[in-house]
Amino acid sequence: MDPFREAVWRLSLDGQTRGWVTTSVMPMRSFPFFWDKQEQMWTQVHWTDGRHEYCEEDYGPDWYVVQELRGGHFSTWDPSADHDVNFDATVLTGTERDHLWTQLAHGLEPSSRN
């Protein structure tokens, strides 16, 4: 899960950046084995027009979003297209990742941004 800890992925369509998805990994405990430590990943979509979506979780055993991102794509509702879109997803590194991680404020819900 290390590639998904405080990561930023560029979402593009036909070569144009449409937004970013930020990811974080946190411990969780789940029923029926509350004493078993597991992890979950939180994703948040951030659009180029400044809008931000609510955080969503992904966890095993299926890890649907992890599988998508590892495959280089990310599917989500695109409000500008008014339907689900399968974006190309590219993980960012270095100063570009650092700058966007700070600017996008992963985990801050849309209602808390104003």
Side-chain angles (χ1 to χ4, degrees), residues 29-34 38:
R29 300 201 186 277
S30 64
F31 185 78
F33 305 108
F34 290 112
Q38 298 179 8

Side-chain angles (χ1 to χ4, degrees), residues 27-102:
M28 69 177 254
R29 300 201 186 277
S30 64
F31 185 78
F33 305 108
F34 290 112
W35 56 89
D36 284 347
K37 182 181 174 190
Q38 298 179 8
E39 290 184 313
Q40 64 185 0
M41 182 176 75
W42 289 93
T43 61
Q44 187 173 26
V45 176
H46 312 268
W47 301 105
T48 55
D49 66 5
R51 288 177 293 136
H52 305 268
E53 303 296 337
Y54 285 94
C55 289
E56 295 188 21
E57 64 182 327
D58 188 30
Y59 50 87
D62 296 321
W63 294 103
Y64 296 110
V65 177
V66 167
Q67 290 179 42
E68 278 190 307
L69 290 171
R70 282 188 175 147
H73 63 276
F74 182 81
S75 297
T76 192
W77 181 264
D78 181 352
S80 65
D82 198 27
H83 59 80
D84 280 340
V85 173
N86 189 27
F87 293 98
D88 293 323
T90 308
V91 68
L92 302 177
T93 60
T95 56
E96 183 178 20
R97 176 256 169 236
D98 296 345
H99 171 74
L100 284 167
W101 180 259
T102 300

